[in-house]
Amino acid sequence: GIQVEQSPPDLILQEGANSTLRCNFSDSVNNLQWFHQNPWGQLINLFYIPSGTKQNGRLSATTVATERYSLLYISSSQTTDSGVYFCAVDGTGGFKTIFGAGTRLFVKA
Amino acid sequence: DADVTQTPRNRITKTGKRIMLECSQTKGHDRMYWYRQDPGLGLRLIYYSFDVKDINKGEISDGYSVSRQAQAKFSLSLESAIPNQTALYFCATSPGYSYEQYFGPGTRLTVT
């Protein structure tokens, strides 16, 4: 089945810093989503982005489907950005959402 | 009010007990999903349903069963709970025209 790898696994930032999180996938995908899991466990939709670029405030995402990766950019990080960021994909061989292991982000005040 | 709700939010049960986790949604979505998350890991799909009469196994369905009682309700059952089913369980929904998924708040289940 499709493999999803996220990097880095852990990231510590000073408040105000920028960061880039990466999601690599091993096969063609129909769908790709980015989620933020906050420290209370809630999963929050960030982007639905099977291809192209989207922006929402300080966050933006780019998916290059032909090269099998997606990037999540966080600018001017805030302590509330802390948590785990997941990439999830659906391969073209039928529905089956696969999650990456996540990037754990801690933003220091 | 939350669009996707899960009950209970926390549950401790003993090995061998039957337990049901419930999910309700007011988003009007046709598709519903159950996932489990183990500490430090991503989510894994247990079952999914694209409409009331359509139920499919996911990656890790062994030991679980589901019931889609209505468009808005999707229940997950553990017939005989075992300790390695201790996990955080999430319900999700998506509209019929998209696979973009929206998650409930999760149920923390502990099997002792």
Side-chain angles (χ1 to χ4, degrees):
Chain A
I2 193 168
Q3 305 294 316
V4 181
E5 293 185 357
Q6 292 187 241
S7 60
D10 297 281
L11 185 60
I12 300 174
L13 296 177
Q14 193 67 43
E15 195 171 29
N18 302 328
S19 64
T20 301
L21 282 56
R22 187 176 182 101
C23 172
N24 290 336
F25 40 95
S26 61
D27 206 344
S28 300
V29 297
N30 285 328
N31 310 289
L32 188 146
Q33 280 190 261
W34 282 98
F35 297 93
H36 174 216
Q37 187 168 37
N38 65 23
W40 297 270
Q42 185 181 7
L43 279 163
I44 300 163
N45 289 42
L46 297 178
F47 295 102
Y48 177 73
I49 186 167
S51 64
T53 297
K54 291 186 177 179
Q55 181 157 6
N56 184 2
R58 296 181 297 103
L59 302 181
S60 64
T62 295
T63 297
V64 183
T66 54
E67 297 186 21
R68 301 180 183 171
Y69 73 88
S70 183
L71 302 174
L72 177 69
Y73 304 96
I74 304 174
S75 64
S76 303
S77 59
Q78 302 176 356
T79 56
T80 52
D81 295 330
S82 296
V84 184
Y85 289 81
F86 289 107
C87 165
V89 305
D90 288 295
T92 57
F95 175 77
K96 186 178 181 182
T97 303
I98 301 295
F99 276 73
T103 291
R104 187 174 301 275
L105 174 65
F106 179 68
V107 181
K108 298 188 296 184
Chain B
D1 287 341
D3 295 320
V4 184
T5 57
Q6 294 183 232
T7 55
R9 295 294 312 280
N10 290 281
R11 180 72 181 267
I12 300 173
T13 192
K14 293 184 183 297
T15 297
K17 294 292 188 181
R18 183 179 187 274
I19 184 168
M20 179 181 288
L21 309 182
E22 298 186 344
C23 177
S24 295
Q25 53 112 349
T26 59
K27 298 180 81 67
H29 288 172
D30 290 323
R31 300 173 177 175
M32 298 186 74
Y33 314 82
W34 276 105
Y35 291 87
R36 68 175 276 175
Q37 183 180 26
D38 295 285
L41 300 178
L43 282 68
R44 291 182 292 168
L45 183 65
I46 306 173
Y47 272 95
Y48 62 99
S49 170
F50 283 177
D51 65 42
V52 175
K53 296 181 181 179
D54 176 74
I55 292 179
N56 302 280
K57 293 182 178 181
E59 184 182 356
I60 53 164
S61 60
D62 287 349
Y64 301 95
S65 62
V66 291
S67 173
R68 185 81 183 267
Q69 301 95 324
Q71 186 205 36
K73 296 184 182 294
F74 193 34
S75 300
L76 176 72
S77 293
L78 287 68
E79 296 300 326
S80 180
I82 57 177
N84 77 359
Q85 291 177 314
T86 292
L88 186 55
Y89 289 84
F90 286 99
C91 173
T93 73
S94 66
Y97 55 85
S98 167
Y99 290 106
E100 184 174 5
Q101 295 181 42
Y102 299 85
F103 283 79
T107 294
R108 190 169 299 277
L109 176 66
T110 303
V111 183
T112 61

PDB file of all heavy atoms in Angstrom, chain B residues 65-88:
ATOM      1  N   SER B  65     -16.903  -3.996  15.156  1.00  0.00           N
ATOM      2  CA  SER B  65     -18.037  -4.038  14.241  1.00  0.00           C
ATOM      3  C   SER B  65     -18.683  -2.661  14.268  1.00  0.00           C
ATOM      4  O   SER B  65     -18.454  -1.872  15.192  1.00  0.00           O
ATOM      5  CB  SER B  65     -19.056  -5.108  14.626  1.00  0.00           C
ATOM      6  OG  SER B  65     -19.593  -4.840  15.910  1.00  0.00           O
ATOM      7  N   VAL B  66     -19.487  -2.360  13.229  1.00  0.00           N
ATOM      8  CA  VAL B  66     -20.113  -1.046  13.138  1.00  0.00           C
ATOM      9  C   VAL B  66     -21.573  -1.198  12.752  1.00  0.00           C
ATOM     10  O   VAL B  66     -21.995  -2.224  12.226  1.00  0.00           O
ATOM     11  CB  VAL B  66     -19.416  -0.124  12.127  1.00  0.00           C
ATOM     12  CG1 VAL B  66     -18.028   0.289  12.602  1.00  0.00           C
ATOM     13  CG2 VAL B  66     -19.377  -0.778  10.759  1.00  0.00           C
ATOM     14  N   SER B  67     -22.311  -0.130  12.994  1.00  0.00           N
ATOM     15  CA  SER B  67     -23.705  -0.051  12.594  1.00  0.00           C
ATOM     16  C   SER B  67     -23.985   1.360  12.132  1.00  0.00           C
ATOM     17  O   SER B  67     -23.648   2.328  12.836  1.00  0.00           O
ATOM     18  CB  SER B  67     -24.614  -0.400  13.778  1.00  0.00           C
ATOM     19  OG  SER B  67     -25.970  -0.169  13.455  1.00  0.00           O
ATOM     20  N   ARG B  68     -24.609   1.480  10.951  1.00  0.00           N
ATOM     21  CA  ARG B  68     -24.994   2.802  10.443  1.00  0.00           C
ATOM     22  C   ARG B  68     -26.513   2.886  10.573  1.00  0.00           C
ATOM     23  O   ARG B  68     -27.278   2.439   9.717  1.00  0.00           O
ATOM     24  CB  ARG B  68     -24.574   2.950   8.976  1.00  0.00           C
ATOM     25  CG  ARG B  68     -24.825   4.350   8.402  1.00  0.00           C
ATOM     26  CD  ARG B  68     -23.766   5.317   8.756  1.00  0.00           C
ATOM     27  NE  ARG B  68     -24.040   6.652   8.285  1.00  0.00           N
ATOM     28  CZ  ARG B  68     -23.617   7.156   7.124  1.00  0.00           C
ATOM     29  NH1 ARG B  68     -22.914   6.413   6.296  1.00  0.00           N
ATOM     30  NH2 ARG B  68     -23.912   8.393   6.800  1.00  0.00           N
ATOM     31  N   GLN B  69     -26.943   3.483  11.672  1.00  0.00           N
ATOM     32  CA  GLN B  69     -28.374   3.477  12.004  1.00  0.00           C
ATOM     33  C   GLN B  69     -29.169   4.467  11.162  1.00  0.00           C
ATOM     34  O   GLN B  69     -30.375   4.306  10.970  1.00  0.00           O
ATOM     35  CB  GLN B  69     -28.583   3.806  13.490  1.00  0.00           C
ATOM     36  CG  GLN B  69     -27.897   2.844  14.452  1.00  0.00           C
ATOM     37  CD  GLN B  69     -26.538   3.329  14.899  1.00  0.00           C
ATOM     38  OE1 GLN B  69     -25.800   3.936  14.121  1.00  0.00           O
ATOM     39  NE2 GLN B  69     -26.203   3.071  16.150  1.00  0.00           N
ATOM     40  N   ALA B  70     -28.498   5.498  10.715  1.00  0.00           N
ATOM     41  CA  ALA B  70     -29.144   6.549   9.924  1.00  0.00           C
ATOM     42  C   ALA B  70     -28.021   7.330   9.270  1.00  0.00           C
ATOM     43  O   ALA B  70     -26.838   7.096   9.553  1.00  0.00           O
ATOM     44  CB  ALA B  70     -29.972   7.462  10.838  1.00  0.00           C
ATOM     45  N   GLN B  71     -28.386   8.250   8.396  1.00  0.00           N
ATOM     46  CA  GLN B  71     -27.347   9.036   7.749  1.00  0.00           C
ATOM     47  C   GLN B  71     -26.482   9.738   8.789  1.00  0.00           C
ATOM     48  O   GLN B  71     -25.271   9.880   8.613  1.00  0.00           O
ATOM     49  CB  GLN B  71     -27.976  10.092   6.818  1.00  0.00           C
ATOM     50  CG  GLN B  71     -26.930  10.846   6.018  1.00  0.00           C
ATOM     51  CD  GLN B  71     -27.395  12.231   5.587  1.00  0.00           C
ATOM     52  OE1 GLN B  71     -28.110  12.911   6.313  1.00  0.00           O
ATOM     53  NE2 GLN B  71     -26.997  12.639   4.409  1.00  0.00           N
ATOM     54  N   ALA B  72     -27.093  10.150   9.889  1.00  0.00           N
ATOM     55  CA  ALA B  72     -26.388  10.968  10.859  1.00  0.00           C
ATOM     56  C   ALA B  72     -25.701  10.178  11.969  1.00  0.00           C
ATOM     57  O   ALA B  72     -25.026  10.762  12.799  1.00  0.00           O
ATOM     58  CB  ALA B  72     -27.365  11.960  11.483  1.00  0.00           C
ATOM     59  N   LYS B  73     -25.862   8.866  12.004  1.00  0.00           N
ATOM     60  CA  LYS B  73     -25.363   8.096  13.145  1.00  0.00           C
ATOM     61  C   LYS B  73     -24.562   6.881  12.693  1.00  0.00           C
ATOM     62  O   LYS B  73     -25.016   6.109  11.865  1.00  0.00           O
ATOM     63  CB  LYS B  73     -26.523   7.643  14.035  1.00  0.00           C
ATOM     64  CG  LYS B  73     -27.285   8.795  14.682  1.00  0.00           C
ATOM     65  CD  LYS B  73     -28.346   8.278  15.617  1.00  0.00           C
ATOM     66  CE  LYS B  73     -29.139   9.423  16.233  1.00  0.00           C
ATOM     67  NZ  LYS B  73     -28.298  10.251  17.112  1.00  0.00           N
ATOM     68  N   PHE B  74     -23.404   6.708  13.321  1.00  0.00           N
ATOM     69  CA  PHE B  74     -22.504   5.611  12.975  1.00  0.00           C
ATOM     70  C   PHE B  74     -21.867   5.142  14.273  1.00  0.00           C
ATOM     71  O   PHE B  74     -21.166   5.903  14.931  1.00  0.00           O
ATOM     72  CB  PHE B  74     -21.449   6.130  11.991  1.00  0.00           C
ATOM     73  CG  PHE B  74     -20.633   5.081  11.289  1.00  0.00           C
ATOM     74  CD1 PHE B  74     -21.168   3.856  10.936  1.00  0.00           C
ATOM     75  CD2 PHE B  74     -19.317   5.349  10.935  1.00  0.00           C
ATOM     76  CE1 PHE B  74     -20.413   2.909  10.248  1.00  0.00           C
ATOM     77  CE2 PHE B  74     -18.548   4.418  10.247  1.00  0.00           C
ATOM     78  CZ  PHE B  74     -19.097   3.192   9.902  1.00  0.00           C
ATOM     79  N   SER B  75     -22.110   3.885  14.651  1.00  0.00           N
ATOM     80  CA  SER B  75     -21.649   3.368  15.935  1.00  0.00           C
ATOM     81  C   SER B  75     -20.550   2.338  15.739  1.00  0.00           C
ATOM     82  O   SER B  75     -20.588   1.555  14.789  1.00  0.00           O
ATOM     83  CB  SER B  75     -22.801   2.730  16.709  1.00  0.00           C
ATOM     84  OG  SER B  75     -23.823   3.672  16.958  1.00  0.00           O
ATOM     85  N   LEU B  76     -19.622   2.317  16.646  1.00  0.00           N
ATOM     86  CA  LEU B  76     -18.522   1.352  16.637  1.00  0.00           C
ATOM     87  C   LEU B  76     -18.645   0.483  17.875  1.00  0.00           C
ATOM     88  O   LEU B  76     -18.797   1.006  18.985  1.00  0.00           O
ATOM     89  CB  LEU B  76     -17.175   2.082  16.654  1.00  0.00           C
ATOM     90  CG  LEU B  76     -15.928   1.206  16.749  1.00  0.00           C
ATOM     91  CD1 LEU B  76     -15.693   0.476  15.423  1.00  0.00           C
ATOM     92  CD2 LEU B  76     -14.703   2.056  17.103  1.00  0.00           C
ATOM     93  N   SER B  77     -18.576  -0.834  17.695  1.00  0.00           N
ATOM     94  CA  SER B  77     -18.688  -1.754  18.828  1.00  0.00           C
ATOM     95  C   SER B  77     -17.427  -2.601  18.964  1.00  0.00           C
ATOM     96  O   SER B  77     -16.851  -3.038  17.963  1.00  0.00           O
ATOM     97  CB  SER B  77     -19.890  -2.686  18.662  1.00  0.00           C
ATOM     98  OG  SER B  77     -21.094  -1.961  18.747  1.00  0.00           O
ATOM     99  N   LEU B  78     -17.061  -2.814  20.216  1.00  0.00           N
ATOM    100  CA  LEU B  78     -16.024  -3.778  20.544  1.00  0.00           C
ATOM    101  C   LEU B  78     -16.759  -4.914  21.251  1.00  0.00           C
ATOM    102  O   LEU B  78     -17.278  -4.726  22.357  1.00  0.00           O
ATOM    103  CB  LEU B  78     -14.978  -3.174  21.472  1.00  0.00           C
ATOM    104  CG  LEU B  78     -13.988  -2.160  20.887  1.00  0.00           C
ATOM    105  CD1 LEU B  78     -14.679  -0.862  20.480  1.00  0.00           C
ATOM    106  CD2 LEU B  78     -12.871  -1.890  21.874  1.00  0.00           C
ATOM    107  N   GLU B  79     -16.871  -6.059  20.604  1.00  0.00           N
ATOM    108  CA  GLU B  79     -17.689  -7.154  21.138  1.00  0.00           C
ATOM    109  C   GLU B  79     -17.129  -7.723  22.434  1.00  0.00           C
ATOM    110  O   GLU B  79     -17.848  -8.067  23.351  1.00  0.00           O
ATOM    111  CB  GLU B  79     -17.847  -8.245  20.094  1.00  0.00           C
ATOM    112  CG  GLU B  79     -18.596  -7.798  18.848  1.00  0.00           C
ATOM    113  CD  GLU B  79     -20.010  -7.315  19.146  1.00  0.00           C
ATOM    114  OE1 GLU B  79     -20.659  -7.861  20.074  1.00  0.00           O
ATOM    115  OE2 GLU B  79     -20.473  -6.384  18.465  1.00  0.00           O
ATOM    116  N   SER B  80     -15.811  -7.823  22.499  1.00  0.00           N
ATOM    117  CA  SER B  80     -15.148  -8.349  23.695  1.00  0.00           C
ATOM    118  C   SER B  80     -13.825  -7.603  23.822  1.00  0.00           C
ATOM    119  O   SER B  80     -12.829  -7.989  23.209  1.00  0.00           O
ATOM    120  CB  SER B  80     -14.929  -9.848  23.561  1.00  0.00           C
ATOM    121  OG  SER B  80     -14.276 -10.368  24.717  1.00  0.00           O
ATOM    122  N   ALA B  81     -13.860  -6.515  24.583  1.00  0.00           N
ATOM    123  CA  ALA B  81     -12.711  -5.615  24.629  1.00  0.00           C
ATOM    124  C   ALA B  81     -11.461  -6.306  25.179  1.00  0.00           C
ATOM    125  O   ALA B  81     -11.536  -7.155  26.085  1.00  0.00           O
ATOM    126  CB  ALA B  81     -13.061  -4.406  25.485  1.00  0.00           C
ATOM    127  N   ILE B  82     -10.323  -5.917  24.621  1.00  0.00           N
ATOM    128  CA  ILE B  82      -9.027  -6.416  25.094  1.00  0.00           C
ATOM    129  C   ILE B  82      -8.105  -5.220  25.323  1.00  0.00           C
ATOM    130  O   ILE B  82      -8.314  -4.155  24.725  1.00  0.00           O
ATOM    131  CB  ILE B  82      -8.397  -7.408  24.098  1.00  0.00           C
ATOM    132  CG1 ILE B  82      -8.241  -6.772  22.709  1.00  0.00           C
ATOM    133  CG2 ILE B  82      -9.221  -8.683  24.018  1.00  0.00           C
ATOM    134  CD1 ILE B  82      -7.559  -7.675  21.700  1.00  0.00           C
ATOM    135  N   PRO B  83      -7.092  -5.378  26.185  1.00  0.00           N
ATOM    136  CA  PRO B  83      -6.245  -4.231  26.537  1.00  0.00           C
ATOM    137  C   PRO B  83      -5.580  -3.537  25.356  1.00  0.00           C
ATOM    138  O   PRO B  83      -5.405  -2.314  25.389  1.00  0.00           O
ATOM    139  CB  PRO B  83      -5.211  -4.849  27.486  1.00  0.00           C
ATOM    140  CG  PRO B  83      -5.952  -5.957  28.157  1.00  0.00           C
ATOM    141  CD  PRO B  83      -6.819  -6.536  27.062  1.00  0.00           C
ATOM    142  N   ASN B  84      -5.228  -4.278  24.293  1.00  0.00           N
ATOM    143  CA  ASN B  84      -4.557  -3.570  23.189  1.00  0.00           C
ATOM    144  C   ASN B  84      -5.526  -2.782  22.313  1.00  0.00           C
ATOM    145  O   ASN B  84      -5.117  -2.196  21.304  1.00  0.00           O
ATOM    146  CB  ASN B  84      -3.664  -4.512  22.370  1.00  0.00           C
ATOM    147  CG  ASN B  84      -4.431  -5.406  21.429  1.00  0.00           C
ATOM    148  OD1 ASN B  84      -5.647  -5.364  21.370  1.00  0.00           O
ATOM    149  ND2 ASN B  84      -3.701  -6.210  20.659  1.00  0.00           N
ATOM    150  N   GLN B  85      -6.802  -2.730  22.713  1.00  0.00           N
ATOM    151  CA  GLN B  85      -7.743  -1.825  22.072  1.00  0.00           C
ATOM    152  C   GLN B  85      -7.827  -0.486  22.813  1.00  0.00           C
ATOM    153  O   GLN B  85      -8.612   0.391  22.454  1.00  0.00           O
ATOM    154  CB  GLN B  85      -9.127  -2.465  21.964  1.00  0.00           C
ATOM    155  CG  GLN B  85      -9.149  -3.615  20.974  1.00  0.00           C
ATOM    156  CD  GLN B  85     -10.494  -4.312  20.893  1.00  0.00           C
ATOM    157  OE1 GLN B  85     -11.101  -4.627  21.922  1.00  0.00           O
ATOM    158  NE2 GLN B  85     -10.972  -4.564  19.680  1.00  0.00           N
ATOM    159  N   THR B  86      -7.004  -0.337  23.834  1.00  0.00           N
ATOM    160  CA  THR B  86      -6.875   0.954  24.509  1.00  0.00           C
ATOM    161  C   THR B  86      -6.290   1.954  23.514  1.00  0.00           C
ATOM    162  O   THR B  86      -5.212   1.729  22.952  1.00  0.00           O
ATOM    163  CB  THR B  86      -5.951   0.827  25.730  1.00  0.00           C
ATOM    164  OG1 THR B  86      -6.601   0.011  26.706  1.00  0.00           O
ATOM    165  CG2 THR B  86      -5.640   2.199  26.330  1.00  0.00           C
ATOM    166  N   ALA B  87      -7.029   3.032  23.270  1.00  0.00           N
ATOM    167  CA  ALA B  87      -6.617   3.994  22.238  1.00  0.00           C
ATOM    168  C   ALA B  87      -7.566   5.183  22.268  1.00  0.00           C
ATOM    169  O   ALA B  87      -8.546   5.212  23.010  1.00  0.00           O
ATOM    170  CB  ALA B  87      -6.641   3.348  20.851  1.00  0.00           C
ATOM    171  N   LEU B  88      -7.259   6.149  21.416  1.00  0.00           N
ATOM    172  CA  LEU B  88      -8.144   7.288  21.173  1.00  0.00           C
ATOM    173  C   LEU B  88      -8.898   6.989  19.878  1.00  0.00           C
ATOM    174  O   LEU B  88      -8.272   6.685  18.854  1.00  0.00           O
ATOM    175  CB  LEU B  88      -7.306   8.558  21.052  1.00  0.00           C
ATOM    176  CG  LEU B  88      -7.995   9.909  20.937  1.00  0.00           C
ATOM    177  CD1 LEU B  88      -8.957  10.145  22.085  1.00  0.00           C
ATOM    178  CD2 LEU B  88      -6.942  11.003  20.877  1.00  0.00           C
TER     179      LEU B  88
END
